[in-house]
Amino acid sequence: MHEIAKDKMKALLKYEQMALLLSLIGLCIISTIISPVFLSVNNLMNVLRTASLTAICAMGYMFVILLGEMDLSVGSMQAVVGIVSVMILNFTKNVPAALLGGIITGAVLGCINGLLVTKAGINSLIASLGTMAILRGSAYIITNGISIQANIPRFEILGTGYVGPFPIPFLIAVVIFAALYFVLNKTVFGRNIYAVGGNNSAARLCGINVGRIKMAAYIIVGVLTALSGYILACRLNSAQPNAGDGFEFQVISAVVLGGVSLSGGKGNLTGAVIGVLILSVLSNVLVLAGVSSFYQEVSRGIVILLAVYIDSRNKRMAEKKILMGKK
């Protein structure tokens, strides 16, 4: 009976992915009708570039949500990493050093979030809310509220450059997707992520080091948030203390819209990426249609509520499927 329920869950996940993909295609068709500019090569490449920054972070964030945890600090982390990277760049005149410094900063901040959750026993929502405020405040204190300009011209290439017709951030996102897809689906660590998210206590009884798994997940999201923050600084050719403002809600809504359950244990990388693309296309077409930024904020709020509703509905459907499988 358990196998029957498991097969039904897989079928449900495939159905959800197909529904998401059709929604994305439908949104693209509507966008083309609203503005023919949408299908221009330049616009599509801009959509991919913007979506890639969100996707890089969202793919790491998915690990945390799969565990049933949260991290509200990713937007503030983006700003701090950008500031640290540009400061290192201006001091050393060395681009790789700036990148390495940014990545290490993200890993350390992710580790701190992980320690607050696993060692201090603080609820992840509260812990990350605190670090979000600390990091954002630190960004303004370090910069005095003023952006820091990068002094090395080639610094911006990673954020604005192309390889052939494709933006560099998009290609980076593709590589990360391939690596994380392998980790989630082909490794013991990936299976442990789903096991811990599905049933924390049962996973512990099976000998899984739950604290270590959660620490690893927070470090992963820290590193990938750092990478997206670094690329954003490259794109702006500067570090902005207000960079990533509201970014955490964009990432959460994209991941949940992509079918990743807030309660943990359910979801996949493909769905999360499709969720990112849906939000990016929606944002792009609103800009092309000349919709006020105020209304764009309203639309984002609606999408977040929709994503949470879909998550709760999917959870009820999954529970119903399992109960039917047991009968």
Side-chain angles (χ1 to χ4, degrees):
M1 292 298 179
H2 176 71
E3 290 299 323
I4 294 173
K6 192 174 180 180
D7 290 340
K8 287 184 177 181
M9 280 292 293
K10 287 182 179 179
L12 179 62
L13 285 172
K14 288 181 180 179
Y15 170 78
E16 289 174 0
Q17 280 189 36
M18 184 56 66
L20 278 170
L21 186 57
L22 291 175
S23 298
L24 176 60
I25 293 170
L27 182 59
C28 290
I29 292 172
I30 294 171
S31 300
T32 304
I33 295 171
I34 293 174
S35 174
V37 177
F38 175 77
L39 280 183
S40 66
V41 174
N42 286 339
N43 184 64
L44 290 177
M45 291 302 106
N46 283 333
V47 170
L48 286 179
R49 188 188 301 278
T50 303
S52 297
L53 291 178
T54 306
I56 289 170
C57 179
M59 286 187 284
Y61 201 99
M62 179 184 164
F63 280 74
V64 172
I65 293 190
L66 279 174
L67 292 170
E69 305 291 352
M70 295 289 285
D71 186 352
L72 296 179
S73 68
V74 291
S76 301
M77 198 182 296
Q78 264 197 336
V80 170
V81 167
I83 291 167
V84 170
S85 298
V86 172
M87 290 177 68
I88 292 174
L89 176 78
N90 291 342
F91 180 75
T92 64
K93 310 299 180 184
N94 188 292
V95 174
L99 174 59
L100 180 61
I103 296 297
I104 291 174
T105 300
V108 170
L109 294 176
C111 186
I112 290 171
N113 280 333
L115 288 171
L116 289 173
V117 173
T118 60
K119 299 299 182 182
I122 303 174
N123 177 276
S124 61
L125 185 66
I126 304 301
S128 59
L129 188 64
T131 53
M132 176 181 74
I134 292 170
L135 292 175
R136 183 63 66 184
S138 299
Y140 280 102
I141 291 170
I142 294 169
T143 63
N144 288 319
I146 302 171
S147 63
I148 303 175
Q149 195 69 27
N151 295 331
I152 306 297
R154 65 180 182 276
F155 174 70
E156 64 187 32
I157 293 175
L158 198 64
T160 61
Y162 290 82
V163 174
F166 298 108
I168 292 176
F170 169 71
L171 298 176
I172 293 173
V174 170
V175 172
I176 292 171
F177 175 87
L180 294 186
Y181 185 89
F182 176 81
V183 169
L184 276 174
N185 295 281
K186 303 295 182 181
T187 67
V188 174
F189 175 72
R191 290 193 291 273
N192 287 346
I193 288 282
Y194 282 101
V196 173
N199 192 318
N200 200 312
S201 300
R204 187 175 281 108
L205 290 173
C206 289
I208 297 173
N209 191 324
V210 174
R212 188 177 297 173
I213 294 294
K214 290 186 177 183
M215 277 292 298
Y218 273 102
I219 292 173
I220 288 171
V221 74
V223 168
L224 293 182
T225 300
L227 182 57
S228 69
Y230 179 87
I231 294 173
L232 178 62
C234 291
R235 186 176 180 183
L236 300 173
N237 201 33
S238 64
Q240 308 280 348
N242 63 342
D245 190 21
F247 182 65
E248 56 277 351
F249 299 110
Q250 185 179 349
V251 171
I252 293 170
S253 56
V255 171
V256 177
L257 186 64
V260 182
S261 175
L262 285 171
S263 57
K266 174 181 169 291
N268 58 69
L269 213 56
T270 304
V273 171
I274 295 175
V276 170
L277 290 173
I278 288 174
L279 288 184
S280 297
V281 170
L282 177 62
S283 178
N284 179 257
V285 73
L286 289 175
V287 171
L288 291 176
V291 177
S292 166
S293 60
F294 303 127
Y295 289 104
Q296 291 181 39
E297 287 298 321
V298 172
S299 70
R300 291 191 187 101
I302 292 172
V303 169
I304 290 173
L305 291 175
L306 176 63
V308 174
Y309 166 74
I310 291 172
D311 176 54
S312 61
R313 186 205 62 182
N314 288 347
K315 187 178 179 181
R316 290 194 300 270
M317 289 177 64
E319 290 173 350
K320 187 177 178 180
K321 291 283 186 182
I322 292 173
L323 289 173
M324 289 175 63
K326 288 181 178 179
K327 291 180 180 179

